[in-house]
Amino acid sequence: MKPAHQFSVPPIALAVATALGALLALTACSKSEAPSAPPRLVTVVKAGADDIGNRTSYTGEVRARYESALGFRVPGKLAERLVEVGDMVKAGQALARLDPADQRLAAETARQQVLAAEVNLAQTESDVKRFKELHEQGFISPADFERRMTGLRVAAAQLEQARSQLGLARNQAVYTTLAADHAGVVTQVAAEVGQVLAAGQMVFRVARPGEKEVWIPVPENRLGELAKAKEVSVDLWADAATRFRGRVRELAPSADPVTRTYTAKVTLLDPAPGVQLGMTANVRFAGAGARGGLRLPGTALFKKGEQAAVWVVDAATSQVHLRPVGVGAYFEDHVNVTSGLQAGETVVRAGVHKLFEGEKVRIAADAPQ
């Protein structure tokens, strides 16, 4: 006997239900098996042995040992400038001129004063000659004659004074032309035509050819290293492959009030013709310290509490591990690691605060291996 209510499922409906179930199952599987994120991309650096503790470097500027700040010896308005920065000048060559009108008037006034003093002296001499005859004849007293002789001496002194003033005025008229004291190259121009200048105000800076040196700023806590340095070498940014020998010629006795550093002047002992004034140079002092270490960029350091540390990449697993290190000294762009790290180990150089212990990383293609 058949049940009263029995329904048959159409074949097409059964096929649709089966397909929907399979689709849901695939969707669930795809959600549960989502692909994991790729390892973090990092840049690394090899910890290499270096004599950082025994070698310090400073950046400075190539300058001439002898430089002169030239200015007019008299005040006036700048009427003409004859040279520009970079021009080579010869000894005695005119560099600039002032408006000479005032000095010419002063010279003419002094000349007229000399003429007046000469006339006064001639008149006084004539008077003394007559009074001398009167004195010999007894018509004037010795005291009156002595007063006439004193007037003669005053007139003679006034003439000498007027002549000296004339010579000074003529010199000042000559000083309206500024000439080079020696041959050299103009490295600075500090005045423009039309500018009113005071006496002695710098107009040009002229560097003498020949001996060159590098001026470097040295912090006060590194002054002792200069005295201990066994070797000084200099290389240019324009030609880092060429090294020149150097010698510390002078160390400033007091610190710069702004930078609080001491200026050291390092003479180039064997400069090549390509060493030009104003070039940037690196000065290295070898044997200035007492211990060596490993060189790492400052960005590789990670602070773990009060302890400095670095992320070391395990070559076998590509995982990073935080390792405490000892830092001997901090420099402008690197640090001197004295303990906790071996030469040749791979260290993450940037992004150290985004890593975690045991994280797997990928080394950038352009990073040193």
Side-chain angles (χ1 to χ4, degrees), residues 211-214 245-249 265-269:
E211 189 171 349
K212 297 182 177 68
E213 56 189 18
V214 181
R245 294 182 302 113
R247 173 178 53 84
V248 178
R249 181 183 66 83
K265 300 178 181 180
V266 179
T267 299
L268 294 174
L269 300 180

Side-chain angles (χ1 to χ4, degrees), residues 204-218:
F204 301 102
R205 187 178 295 277
V206 177
R208 298 187 186 184
E211 189 171 349
K212 297 182 177 68
E213 56 189 18
V214 181
W215 291 19
I216 57 174
V218 180

